[in-house]
Amino acid sequence: SRRTGEAVPAPLPSQARVVICGGGIVGTSVAYHLAKLGWTEVVLLEQGRLGAGTTRMCAGIVSVAKPIFIESKMADYSNSLYERLEEETGVKTGYVRTGSLCLAQNQDRFLSLKRLASRLMVLGINCNVMKPKDVAKLHPMVNIHDLVGALYLPQDAVVSPPDVNHALAMASSVQGVRIHERTTVNHIILEKGHVRGVETDRGTIECEFFVNCAGQWAYELGQASETKVSVPLHGCEHFYLLTKPLQQPLQPDVPVVMDMDGRIYVRTWQGGILSGGFEKNPKPIFTEGRNQLEIQNMQEDWDHFEPMLSALLRRMPSLESSEIHQLVNCPESFTPDMRCLMGETPGVHGYYVLAGMNSSGLSFAGGAGKYLAEWMTYGYPTANVWPLDIKRFGNLQSSRTFLRHRVMEVMPLLYELKVPRWDYQTGRQLRTSPLYDRLDTQGARWMEKHGFERAKYFIPAGKDLLSLDQSKTFYKPDWFDIVGAEVKCCKEAVCVIDMSSFTKFELTSAGGQSLELLQHLCANDLDVPVGHIVHTGMLNQRGGYENDCSVVRLSKNSFFIISPTDQQVHCWAWIKKHMPNDPQLHLEDVSWKYTALNLIGPRAMDVLSELSYVSMTPDHFPSLFCNHFERSNYRPNLYSNKLFYTLL
Amino acid sequence: SAKHCSYTLTPPQVNSILKANEFSFKVPEFDGKNLSSVMGFDSNQLPANAPVEDRRSAATFLQTRGMLMGVFDGHAGCACAQALSERLFYYIAVALLPHDTLQELENAVESGRMVHPLLQWHKHPHDYFNRETQALYFSSLRTFWQELLDLGSPGDQPSVPEALTSAFKRLDNDISLEAQVGNPNAFLHYWLLRVAFSGATACVAHVDGKDLHIANAGDCRAVLGVQEPDGSFSALTLSSDHNAQNEDEVGRLRREHPPSEKKTVVRQDRLLGLLMPFRAFGDVKFKWSIELQKRVLESGPDALHENEHTKFIPPNYHTPPYLTAEPEITHHRLRPQDRFLVIGSDGLWETLHRQEVVRVVGQYLTGVHQQQPITVGGYRVTLGQMQGLLLERKARVSSTFEDQNSATHLIRHAVGNNEFGTVDHERLSKMLSLPEELARMYRDDITIIVAQFNPHVIGGRS
C-alpha cells in the first residue's frame, strides 16, 4: 500500500543470481562483500525500510571482547571496515575510536579477561591488562573501589548503526547491488533441492542463491519454503537506558565500559550515556511469530530494568542526578549456543543463512558478511568458521518451545563467566540412549551433545553432589579425580561406555557405487575385505577435514559409517552433496536403530568371550574387525567392532 | 490503651497471626485421571470475636466426587455455626443420594454393617467436631433419610437445587425440634438450646463437573473470579445478600407479615430492629412463638436463665416466624474463563469491595502483579529517583510472596490495605495488635475459602 506523494517503487527484476532477504546491517554487509568479490545481479529485499529492525535501535558498540577466537576476529574486521566506510562512501557513520574497558569485580573474572587478552594477542589486537587505578585515569565516572582489575581494548569503537547500515547499502548499490525496500519475501521456490527463486508481495524473482538475513524473522522465513529450513533462533527483549546530556558532558571518546559482573555496558551518547545489560531473567518475545509492526511498538519495562539501573548507579554513582531520556526496548535474536548461524543449509543447495547474532550483530556483521560472501564465492571462507556453521544444529533444536527455554538461559550467559566444560541446563533430554535410566540411577552426570544426553562421569558413593554441580572454575575441578579413576579403569581393567549418541549411516548400492563414493570422499582405502573396519577422514578439496569416521564394510556393496555425534547434520549434508543422483545408491541415517557400547580395556576380550559362543582369540577376531553376532533370537542386530584408538 | 496502640508487631509476628488458621487442599490427580473441576482450595480465618463465631467446612462428596465448601457466620455465640459446620454437609449429601443408594445405606445401618463414609472432610486441626453430640446428630440425620425413603420411590434422582433447599430447611427444623424436645443429659440439653438460640448464616457451594450451585441464607457471599481476555479479573457475584440492602428481601418480609407490621418488621436496617441478616439458621427467638420460647426456657437448665439475651423477646413480635433458613439457590455453568470462587463471611466483604477481592486473588493465583507500568513520559526524572521508585515497587511485590495461601493473602489485604490498594505493614500490625475487647469495633471475624478451578477440565468439551 503506497501513500500518495511517495515515489513509485522501482519494478523488481525478474531474474537475479542472488537474492538477499533483510536490509539490516547483516544483509547489507553480505551484499557489500558479494559485490566486492565481483558478484553481479545481487538483489537485496527489505520488508520495511533499510535498517528498520534491530539495527535501528542497537547500542552501537563494536568490541572484540568476544568469547571465541573467530568472533573476535570478525569483530576486528568489522571495526576496520566501519572505520574506513566514511572515507569510502562519504556517509557519516558516527565512528569514534573510544576504546573499551572490561571491568573485573573478582579474580575469576580477571582471569577470564587475561585469557581473552592472550587470545587477542594471537590476532595481533592491542590490549592492556590494567589495575583499577588506571581505569580511573581513562574514565572519570567509574567507581573503582570494588574492582580487581580491568582489560583495556584501545581499538574498540562506537558507531551510529543506522548510518553504518546506510553506508554499506550506498557502497553496495554503487557496485551494482539492487536494493528494494518495502518488499516482503513470502516464499522461497525450490526445485530438486536447489533454490530457484523467491516469491515476494511484488512479484517473483528467479535466482540461484538465496541468503536469509531476516534477523528476528529468519526462523519464520526458514519455514516459508517447501523443504523447511531450520534457523534455530528466538527473540528476547533487550533494554537500554538513554540519559539527557550530563551537566558536565562526557567527552565523545571516553571509553565504553563493560561491567560484566554487574551485567551492564555503558557508552557515551550525545553528551549523556547509553547503558544496557543482559539480565538474569530475560523476556523472550515473538514465540508465536509476529509481523514487522510489532517491533516498532515495544514497551518499556522499568521494573525489569531495575537490577541493571542499580548496577549502573553502583558503577557510576554520580549519574544519580542525571535525567532519564528514554528506556529503549530493542528485541535481539539469540541462538541455542550463543554463536551466530552461518552457512549453507544442509537440505537445500544455494540457500544460505546469516542470522542469530546474540546481541552482537554490529560487531559481527562486517566480518560475518565477508566470510559468508567468501563461502558463497569459493566454497570456503578464508577463516575457520566451523563453530558458527548452521549445520551444527539439527531439527530437534528448532522447536519453538526448546528455543524459548534455551534463549532464557543463553542471554544471561553472555555476561557470565565462561569456564571450560560447562553444560546448558535447559532444553535437555531431547535424545537419550535406551540405557539412560539405568546409567542415571548409577549416578551418571550428564552432558549434552547435539541434543543427545551422554554420561560425563559417575558420582562415586559418598561424594558431595552439590559442590560438584557448582564446580565452575578455571582451576582443577572437583570432577577431575573422578574422571581420572575412570580413565585408569579403562586402561588397566575393563569399562563399558555407552556410545549410542554416535552418528550412524548405512550406505548401500546395487553395484559398486557406494564403494566408489566412499573412495572419492575418504582419505583411506576402503576396498577392504568384508568385515574390516577402516578409520578415516572425509576430506575436502583443500585437504581439510570435513568429517572423522569409522567405516565398516558390511558386505561387498554396503557400508556402515560411524561419525561423531555432532556431525550428524554436517556429515549427512557432505555425503549427500557429493552423492550422484543414482536411484540405486542409498544413504540411510540409522543412528536411532543401534545402541553402541564401547567395551574398552585390557580385559575387554574376557568379557566379550563370556557373552558369545564364538571364540574371541585374536585369530578369530582380529583388531579392526567387525563381527555380527546372533546372540539371541530377540536381538537380531548386534555388531561388534573391534577398534583401537591411540590416545594421545 | 495508648500503651497497646504504640505496640507494633514485627513482620514474622504478623505472619504467625495471619497464618495460624490457614489451610490448603489440593485435589490429587493421577496422570490426568480423576480430573476434578476444582483443583483445590485455600481457606483461612481471622478472629475478631473471642472466641471466633465464624466456621468453615469443606468436603468431597464421595458419591459424585463433587466438592462442598461452606462458610458459616455465627452470631450470639458460635454454637449454631459450629453445628452447621458439622451437620449441614451430611444433610446435603443425604438429600443428594439417589433413592437406591439411600436404601442401601439404611439397610447397612439397620443390620449393623459397616457404612461407607459419605464425605471426605478437608479440615484444619482447629476445625473440631463435638464428640458428645454425634449420636444425637446421627439419629436426626437417619430420621431425615428414612423420611426421604418413605416419600421417594426407587429410581429417584434428586436435583441439586431441591436437595440443597431441603437440606437447609431440614437441618434448621431439626435444630429447632431438638431444642424443644430437650435431652436427659444436662450438658447436651444446654448445648442444644445454645445452638437453637444462637444463629448463623450459611453460604455453601457445591461443584460437580461444570455445575456450580450456591445455596445462600444470610449475608455471606460467593463471588466468582472471571478472567477477561486482556488478563484482568472481574467479579461475578453468585449469591444475593439477605439483608436490608436487598429490596427483594425487604419486600418478602413485608409480604409475609400483616400490613400493620410494615414499619416494624424492618427497622434501622435490621429485622425487628435487631438482626442484620434476614435469613439464618437457629435464632429461635425470631422463629418460635412467645409461649414456646417461655416454655422451653423454663424447663431448660439454670445456666440459661443467667443469659439475659436469651430471655429477651424482640419488640413488635406478633406473627412469628420472622426468620427462615430457606436458601436462595444459584446455578452457574462453569466456563473456561471462570478461574476461582471466593466464599467469605461478611467480615471480608465489608472491608474489601468484591472487585478488589477478585483482583487480589487473581493476581496472586496468576503470579502476575499487574502494577501499573511506569512511564517517564515528558517528566524530568533522575536515575536516582527512578531507582528509589523501582526498589520500593520491588519490595511491595515481594511482600505478596510471603503467603502460600491465597486466603491468607486476601486477609492481609483486607486488614492492611491502605488507600492505594497495597498492604501497609504498619496498619496491618496495628490492626492485629488490637486487644480483644477493641478488635470487634474495628473489624468482624473474617472467614474465606478460595477454590481454584481447573481450566483444562471446565474448558473441555464434554
Side-chain angles (χ1 to χ4, degrees):
Chain A
S1 63
R2 255 177 274 128
R3 274 168 286 164
T4 48
E6 214 167 281
V8 178
L12 288 189
S14 62
Q15 249 183 321
R17 274 200 81 197
V18 190
V19 171
I20 301 166
C21 176
I25 190 107
V26 172
T28 49
S29 172
V30 172
Y32 174 86
H33 288 97
L34 282 175
K36 282 266 170 192
L37 288 171
W39 287 64
T40 54
E41 292 184 77
V42 178
V43 173
L44 185 144
L45 305 178
E46 161 59 44
Q47 62 174 336
R49 303 300 293 263
L50 279 181
T54 298
T55 300
R56 180 174 65 88
M57 298 195 273
C58 86
I61 299 167
V62 187
S63 172
V64 293
K66 300 295 167 200
I68 58 169
F69 187 83
I70 183 66
E71 290 180 338
S72 296
K73 194 169 161 144
M74 291 196 305
D76 188 42
Y77 171 81
S78 302
N79 192 331
S80 57
L81 171 69
Y82 302 158
E83 187 181 18
R84 66 172 189 261
L85 214 50
E86 191 165 325
E87 196 183 330
E88 188 178 321
T89 61
V91 177
K92 286 215 181 308
T93 58
Y95 183 95
V96 181
R97 175 159 287 179
T98 57
S100 68
L101 283 162
C102 301
L103 309 181
Q105 290 185 26
N106 52 58
Q107 288 296 344
D108 276 341
R109 174 71 66 188
F110 200 30
L111 191 63
S112 81
L113 292 177
K114 288 175 181 167
R115 288 164 68 104
L116 171 63
S118 58
R119 264 203 316 276
L120 294 178
M121 268 181 249
V122 175
L123 280 166
I125 298 171
N126 192 9
C127 60
N128 312 69
V129 175
M130 56 173 56
K131 294 198 175 81
K133 64 177 177 5
D134 301 321
V135 173
K137 287 177 201 153
L138 285 166
H139 200 300
M141 291 172 76
V142 174
N143 168 22
I144 59 165
H145 297 299
D146 55 351
L147 296 183
V148 174
L151 179 68
Y152 179 48
L153 305 162
Q155 287 168 48
D156 281 358
V158 297
V159 295
S160 160
D163 294 333
V164 172
N165 194 82
H166 180 56
L168 284 171
M170 282 269 290
S172 310
S173 55
V174 166
Q175 293 184 72
V177 174
R178 299 180 65 176
I179 297 172
H180 295 271
E181 294 180 301
R182 297 215 164 96
T183 308
T184 304
V185 174
N186 291 328
H187 193 76
I188 316 302
I189 307 162
L190 310 179
E191 195 182 296
K192 289 179 188 157
H194 285 262
V195 170
R196 280 290 167 265
V198 295
E199 271 173 32
T200 75
D201 57 348
R202 296 180 49 222
T204 303
I205 307 176
E206 279 181 37
C207 63
E208 294 167 52
F209 296 93
F210 175 72
V211 191
N212 179 345
C213 300
Q216 298 280 348
W217 324 112
Y219 178 94
E220 283 162 291
L221 184 59
Q223 304 295 303
S225 52
E226 207 173 318
T227 308
K228 289 187 167 59
V229 170
S230 297
V231 186
L233 57 79
H234 195 292
C236 256
E237 296 182 39
H238 173 61
F239 295 92
Y240 63 79
L241 166 77
L242 299 173
T243 70
K244 292 178 180 161
L246 306 184
Q247 283 179 332
Q248 291 166 315
L250 280 174
Q251 293 302 307
D253 61 348
V254 73
V256 173
V257 172
M258 281 181 264
D259 181 4
M260 298 191 192
D261 299 307
R263 301 186 163 277
I264 51 159
Y265 57 81
V266 191
R267 61 162 283 196
T268 57
W269 182 80
Q270 299 186 2
I273 59 114
L274 178 163
S275 174
F278 298 99
E279 63 272 29
K280 279 186 191 154
N281 52 339
K283 295 167 75 179
I285 192 172
F286 305 138
T287 304
E288 311 289 331
R290 295 286 155 85
N291 58 41
Q292 176 73 10
L293 290 175
E294 296 283 329
I295 209 166
Q296 319 282 0
N297 224 345
M298 304 287 296
Q299 300 294 315
E300 61 189 333
D301 185 344
W302 279 100
D303 292 303
H304 189 74
F305 192 71
E306 181 277 320
M308 290 173 273
L309 177 59
S310 294
L312 173 66
L313 291 178
R314 180 180 161 193
R315 186 53 52 221
M316 300 183 181
S318 61
L319 284 176
E320 202 182 83
S321 58
S322 57
E323 277 178 42
I324 294 165
H325 174 71
Q326 200 188 345
L327 184 66
V328 181
N329 182 350
C330 159
E332 299 273 5
S333 45
F334 295 86
T335 62
D337 64 353
M338 280 188 283
R339 317 258 174 269
C340 74
L341 305 169
M342 183 194 267
E344 192 173 21
T345 56
V348 185
H349 292 291
Y351 192 129
Y352 287 79
V353 175
L354 185 57
M357 291 291 154
N358 296 289
S359 194
S360 296
L362 183 69
S363 294
F364 293 155
K370 174 176 165 234
Y371 293 138
L372 189 80
E374 288 171 356
W375 201 333
M376 292 171 68
T377 313
Y378 310 122
Y380 293 95
T382 54
N384 177 10
V385 295
W386 189 262
L388 314 178
D389 192 337
I390 191 169
K391 289 195 278 292
R392 69 190 183 277
F393 293 117
N395 288 332
L396 273 178
Q397 287 107 330
S398 289
S399 93
R400 291 308 268 172
T401 317
F402 165 79
L403 289 168
R404 186 182 168 89
H405 288 150
R406 178 55 70 81
V407 297
M408 287 175 74
E409 184 181 5
V410 161
M411 181 170 162
L413 273 180
L414 286 176
Y415 270 9
E416 266 165 34
L417 279 180
K418 287 161 195 74
V419 300
R421 305 202 177 274
W422 190 85
D423 289 305
Y424 289 100
Q425 305 298 306
T426 52
R428 294 291 295 266
Q429 297 184 357
L430 296 179
R431 301 197 293 165
T432 55
S433 151
L435 295 173
Y436 179 87
D437 290 339
R438 291 175 71 168
L439 297 178
D440 197 56
T441 52
Q442 288 171 40
R445 276 288 175 274
W446 298 93
M447 62 173 286
E448 169 247 16
K449 191 113 187 180
H450 202 68
F452 209 110
E453 296 294 328
R454 310 206 298 188
K456 273 198 293 196
Y457 51 84
F458 291 82
I459 304 273
K463 255 279 179 193
D464 180 7
L465 305 183
L466 196 69
S467 70
L468 270 173
D469 288 336
Q470 292 171 341
S471 60
K472 274 184 156 191
T473 176
F474 291 111
Y475 298 94
K476 183 180 167 184
D478 288 2
W479 46 260
F480 192 89
D481 293 331
I482 299 174
V483 174
E486 287 175 3
V487 170
K488 194 168 180 225
C489 188
C490 292
K491 293 203 80 154
E492 293 173 8
V494 63
C495 278
V496 186
I497 306 176
D498 184 1
M499 307 283 269
S500 304
S501 71
F502 273 54
T503 301
K504 301 162 216 86
F505 295 143
E506 263 175 18
L507 184 70
T508 50
S509 60
Q513 301 97 318
S514 52
L515 178 63
E516 200 180 317
L517 174 62
L518 287 177
Q519 291 290 52
H520 172 64
L521 290 175
C522 298
N524 281 346
D525 185 11
L526 285 162
D527 196 2
V528 290
V530 170
H532 271 260
I533 306 167
V534 179
H535 187 67
T536 182
M538 292 183 183
L539 306 186
N540 56 36
Q541 280 125 333
R542 303 178 306 167
Y545 247 67
E546 286 292 334
N547 181 40
D548 161 50
C549 58
S550 300
V551 183
V552 184
R553 192 165 195 181
L554 294 176
S555 69
K556 189 159 181 287
N557 294 322
S558 76
F559 294 85
F560 193 77
I561 303 166
I562 305 164
S563 283
T565 311
D566 52 357
Q567 280 283 77
Q568 192 172 24
V569 178
H570 187 94
C571 178
W572 176 267
W574 183 253
I575 299 175
K576 273 282 180 188
K577 189 173 181 177
H578 295 88
M579 220 165 112
N581 196 6
D582 180 346
Q584 293 194 316
L585 182 61
H586 185 65
L587 179 70
E588 191 190 356
D589 187 338
V590 293
S591 302
W592 58 275
K593 278 190 182 173
Y594 295 94
T595 299
L597 292 178
N598 194 355
L599 191 61
I600 188 172
R603 312 257 342 246
M605 278 304 166
D606 301 343
V607 175
L608 208 52
S609 56
E610 289 287 313
L611 293 173
S612 170
Y613 302 120
V614 184
S615 173
M616 285 297 152
T617 59
D619 293 341
H620 288 91
F621 193 16
S623 174
L624 283 173
F625 203 80
C626 170
N627 268 8
H628 185 214
F629 297 113
E630 299 281 344
R631 208 180 91 72
S632 64
N633 48 8
Y634 56 83
R635 219 181 274 164
N637 281 316
L638 182 68
Y639 290 123
S640 177
N641 302 330
K642 196 173 177 188
L643 189 61
F644 292 99
Y645 288 99
T646 311
L647 293 170
L648 292 175
Chain B
S1 69
K3 215 172 167 189
H4 278 294
C5 291
S6 65
Y7 175 68
T8 33
L9 300 166
T10 63
Q13 286 171 318
V14 165
N15 285 347
S16 73
I17 293 174
L18 290 180
K19 293 179 182 192
N21 293 314
E22 72 178 13
F23 178 75
S24 281
F25 174 73
K26 248 180 108 65
V27 177
E29 279 177 26
F30 309 101
D31 293 339
K33 279 175 242 160
N34 282 347
L35 278 180
S36 158
S37 51
V38 178
M39 290 204 285
F41 67 85
D42 292 333
S43 74
N44 200 352
Q45 208 165 40
L46 181 71
N49 292 297
V52 62
E53 293 180 347
D54 280 4
R55 291 292 184 273
R56 60 185 156 170
S57 288
T60 305
F61 180 36
L62 293 168
Q63 177 80 15
T64 61
R65 313 232 48 111
M67 179 80 89
L68 282 162
M69 291 164 288
V71 167
F72 312 105
D73 182 354
H75 48 262
C78 61
C80 187
Q82 174 64 31
L84 294 191
S85 75
E86 297 177 37
R87 306 178 73 181
L88 183 55
F89 287 7
Y90 280 117
Y91 277 70
I92 295 173
V94 162
L96 278 170
L97 282 181
H99 190 274
D100 306 340
T101 321
L102 265 183
Q103 190 63 58
E104 283 167 33
L105 181 68
E106 171 60 18
N107 295 345
V109 173
E110 184 66 34
S111 59
R113 272 184 284 130
M114 203 190 72
V115 180
H116 290 290
L118 290 173
L119 298 170
Q120 181 198 353
W121 292 94
H122 312 300
K123 289 196 300 182
H124 186 275
H126 293 178
D127 303 339
Y128 62 96
F129 273 24
N130 259 333
R131 222 170 257 277
E132 293 83 356
T133 53
Q134 292 307 306
L136 182 81
Y137 288 170
F138 181 77
S139 126
S140 295
L141 182 69
R142 188 175 174 194
T143 313
F144 177 37
W145 84 55
Q146 283 170 339
E147 277 185 39
L148 286 173
L149 281 171
D150 288 348
L151 293 170
S153 49
D156 278 359
Q157 194 79 32
S159 85
V160 179
E162 281 169 16
L164 289 167
T165 306
S166 93
F168 269 60
K169 286 164 80 171
R170 176 68 184 210
L171 176 56
D172 191 46
N173 206 32
D174 282 357
I175 287 172
S176 173
L177 275 177
E178 285 157 5
Q180 291 174 42
V181 171
N183 196 288
N185 176 329
F187 171 80
L188 271 186
H189 192 177
Y190 178 49
W191 172 255
L192 292 174
L193 288 171
R194 275 178 60 201
V195 170
F197 276 91
S198 64
T201 64
C203 185
V204 173
H206 174 262
V207 196
D208 187 5
K210 291 185 191 174
D211 289 307
L212 166 63
H213 285 90
I214 304 286
N216 183 47
D219 52 9
C220 294
R221 195 187 284 170
V223 170
L224 196 64
V226 183
Q227 190 159 30
E228 302 295 334
D230 68 357
S232 67
F233 287 89
S234 65
L236 176 62
T237 310
L238 291 180
S239 63
S240 30
D241 301 345
H242 301 129
N243 58 20
Q245 276 69 51
N246 183 341
E247 281 177 28
D248 293 345
E249 279 296 291
V250 177
R252 172 181 69 82
L253 273 170
R254 289 194 172 138
R255 267 197 315 280
E256 287 174 356
H257 298 277
S260 56
E261 292 183 46
K262 190 169 185 279
K263 285 195 176 144
T264 53
V265 70
V266 177
R267 286 175 68 192
Q268 291 160 342
D269 283 352
R270 286 163 187 256
L271 182 67
L272 299 174
L274 293 170
L275 194 63
M276 293 266 267
F278 288 4
R279 298 191 195 194
F281 284 85
D283 277 329
V284 290
K285 276 193 306 170
F286 297 87
K287 290 175 181 164
W288 288 353
S289 67
I290 299 177
E291 297 72 38
L292 181 57
Q293 295 191 32
K294 283 187 172 154
R295 184 163 56 77
V296 169
L297 286 175
E298 274 159 20
S299 65
D302 294 341
L304 217 53
H305 296 273
E306 289 149 26
N307 192 339
E308 284 298 316
H309 169 79
T310 341
K311 275 193 281 185
F312 173 78
I313 301 288
N316 305 303
Y317 196 78
H318 306 298
T319 51
Y322 287 89
L323 194 62
T324 173
E326 176 167 352
E328 196 174 335
I329 310 288
T330 320
H331 173 240
H332 178 78
R333 184 101 177 133
L334 288 171
R335 305 157 299 170
Q337 65 267 38
D338 299 333
R339 288 298 143 87
F340 55 88
L341 176 73
V342 182
I343 313 172
S345 58
D346 62 337
L348 170 69
W349 307 107
E350 66 199 18
T351 48
L352 284 184
H353 188 265
R354 60 201 161 92
Q355 190 55 50
E356 182 68 2
V357 165
V358 162
R359 183 188 69 82
V360 168
V361 175
Q363 291 181 5
Y364 174 84
L365 292 178
T366 51
V368 183
H369 304 280
Q370 289 169 325
Q371 290 185 329
Q372 203 61 25
I374 301 184
T375 45
V376 176
Y379 296 101
R380 298 161 67 95
V381 184
T382 68
L383 297 191
Q385 288 167 337
M386 180 56 89
Q387 188 194 23
L389 184 60
L390 294 175
L391 289 175
E392 189 215 325
R393 282 161 68 95
K394 199 162 107 177
R396 219 186 289 163
V397 168
S398 67
S399 81
T400 63
F401 290 112
E402 282 175 313
D403 297 323
Q404 276 92 53
N405 181 305
S406 54
T408 310
H409 187 60
L410 200 46
I411 290 180
R412 192 185 291 277
H413 273 268
V415 179
N417 253 15
N418 59 19
E419 57 269 41
F420 306 113
T422 55
V423 175
D424 177 347
H425 176 76
E426 205 172 323
R427 185 186 156 86
L428 184 61
S429 164
K430 274 187 186 151
M431 288 294 280
L432 293 180
S433 54
L434 288 173
E436 275 175 12
E437 63 272 21
L438 280 180
R440 187 61 189 88
M441 297 172 70
Y442 287 92
R443 58 187 162 86
D444 195 356
D445 292 337
I446 298 177
T447 300
I448 301 169
I449 297 178
V450 180
Q452 211 181 337
F453 299 117
N454 189 337
H456 300 293
V457 175
I458 61 178
R461 230 168 265 150
S462 64

